[in-house]
Amino acid sequence: MLYAIVGRDTDASLELRKQARPAHLQRLAALRDEARLILAGPFPALDAADPGDAGFTGSLIVAEFDSLEQATEWAQADPYVQAGVYRDVSVRPFKKVLP
């Protein structure tokens, strides 16, 4: 089943993000290589593709897992969680309808 993982950033998280980003992307690449990643990306703090020093307010990942428990465990082990980038993370079942 698909799950939507939403991480909300702590204030002034940009430097923490930069430090943890390679490990975060490595985990996402593993999901992609297993054909389980639907989409992933950050929420810019500004209405711009590159928010510069304003940074990001969080991230969205939609991926396939065997259970809500497995998706939650994966999300909690993310380098952004470990580095303190995210203040909280929610994991919810997701049903893709379109496209």
Side-chain angles (χ1 to χ4, degrees), residues 5 9 20 22 29 33 45 53 59 63 79 82 88 90 95:
I5 300 168
D9 280 26
D33 294 348
D53 291 339
S59 303
Q82 306 304 315
D88 59 62
S90 66
K95 182 178 178 181

Side-chain angles (χ1 to χ4, degrees), residues 25-45:
L25 292 178
Q26 185 177 20
R27 291 182 84 234
L28 291 172
L31 284 179
R32 180 201 60 214
D33 294 348
E34 296 168 2
R36 296 172 43 206
L37 182 64
I38 304 303
L39 64 89
F43 299 117

Side-chain angles (χ1 to χ4, degrees), residues 17-77:
R17 266 184 174 270
K18 288 177 181 178
Q19 293 170 15
R21 189 170 191 261
H24 172 75
L25 292 178
Q26 185 177 20
R27 291 182 84 234
L28 291 172
L31 284 179
R32 180 201 60 214
D33 294 348
E34 296 168 2
R36 296 172 43 206
L37 182 64
I38 304 303
L39 64 89
F43 299 117
L46 303 174
D47 187 13
D50 181 359
D53 291 339
F56 301 90
T57 61
S59 303
L60 169 65
I61 299 165
V62 178
E64 184 178 346
F65 293 93
D66 290 335
S67 67
L68 177 60
E69 179 181 12
Q70 185 186 64
T72 301
E73 288 175 6
W74 186 92
Q76 292 301 320

